[in-house]
Amino acid sequence: MRIITGRYKGRHFDIPRSFKARPTTDFAKENIFNVLIQYVDFEDAEALDLFSGTGSISLELLSRGCSQVVSVEMDRDHHRFIQECVKKLGAEGIIPIRGDVFRFLKSCKQQYDMVFADPPYALKELAQLPDLVMERHLLKEGGIFVLEHGKDHSFEAHPHFVEHRQYGSVNFSIFSE
């Protein structure tokens, strides 16, 4: 896993082979972030990374200048790995939370400039995530929600849908208030 750009550009982290997480490929990550700079000024932004997995997106957000990244991951080993990566960087700004994303969403009172979700593609509640983020008013004015998903989902009819991007087998749908 590699940080693409920003203050921690080029830093690598070896993901344990035992991990079940499917990190966003460097190719897809670099391309979606090139799109996202049209929507978000990362400098001092506050972001929420749901289903954080290896923490790849959280670390990229922090590297690009986010002042705070809340990283929610249920798996104990993945959560610990994210904490270790933050420690190795000597970075502040990532708040790793170990817990269920849906419980977190129900209790979250904070608003963010950007919410990113990379759930397991087979997650049965995946299609509900845009509605949950919008109904909970998790986005600041002008904020965006980015959902990574497989080819089996289309969100183009969603009232908050902005655009879709595909990089290989990785799909991203972008939503805004």
Side-chain angles (χ1 to χ4, degrees):
M1 176 177 81
R2 171 175 71 96
I3 298 176
I4 305 293
T5 198
R7 75 182 87 154
Y8 303 115
K9 177 182 179 176
R11 294 290 299 267
H12 287 266
F13 299 92
D14 294 324
I15 300 168
R17 292 182 188 267
S18 62
F19 273 26
K20 300 173 286 254
R22 164 203 36 77
T24 304
T25 65
D26 285 353
F27 174 74
K29 184 168 59 170
E30 182 171 12
N31 280 290
I32 194 62
F33 272 92
N34 286 339
V35 171
L36 295 179
I37 59 174
Q38 300 170 43
Y39 295 100
V40 179
D41 179 5
F42 292 107
E43 197 62 40
D44 295 324
E46 295 176 328
L48 173 62
D49 182 11
L50 302 171
F51 306 96
S52 300
T54 62
S56 173
I57 298 298
S58 292
L59 294 168
E60 191 70 38
L61 288 164
L62 187 67
S63 183
R64 289 171 183 257
C66 286
S67 61
Q68 181 188 73
V69 181
V70 176
S71 178
V72 183
E73 173 55 47
M74 182 187 274
D75 185 276
R76 181 191 65 217
D77 294 333
H78 296 188
H79 177 260
R80 188 178 309 120
F81 180 75
I82 294 167
Q83 290 177 311
E84 290 170 6
C85 290
V86 171
K87 188 176 179 180
K88 284 179 186 174
L89 288 176
E92 294 183 13
I94 293 182
I95 301 169
I97 295 176
R98 182 171 171 242
D100 178 76
V101 165
F102 296 99
R103 282 190 186 157
F104 176 85
L105 290 175
K106 286 180 183 175
S107 64
C108 182
K109 304 284 188 243
Q110 185 173 346
Q111 289 187 313
Y112 301 91
D113 298 290
M114 179 181 154
V115 176
F116 190 99
D118 181 8
Y121 288 1
L123 182 75
K124 64 182 179 184
E125 300 92 350
L126 187 145
Q128 299 168 17
L129 287 169
D131 289 332
L132 287 171
V133 169
M134 298 304 166
E135 288 167 5
R136 297 293 307 157
H137 304 287
L138 294 179
L139 297 178
K140 293 180 181 178
E141 186 174 333
I144 62 165
F145 171 51
V146 181
L147 176 60
E148 183 173 334
H149 57 89
K151 64 180 179 184
D152 297 337
H153 292 314
S154 173
F155 294 95
E156 293 179 7
H158 193 280
H160 295 281
F161 177 81
V162 176
E163 72 172 290
H164 172 263
R165 295 291 177 124
Q166 180 177 357
Y167 306 104
S169 62
V170 181
N171 291 266
F172 296 96
S173 290
I174 302 172
F175 306 83
S176 184
E177 275 291 345

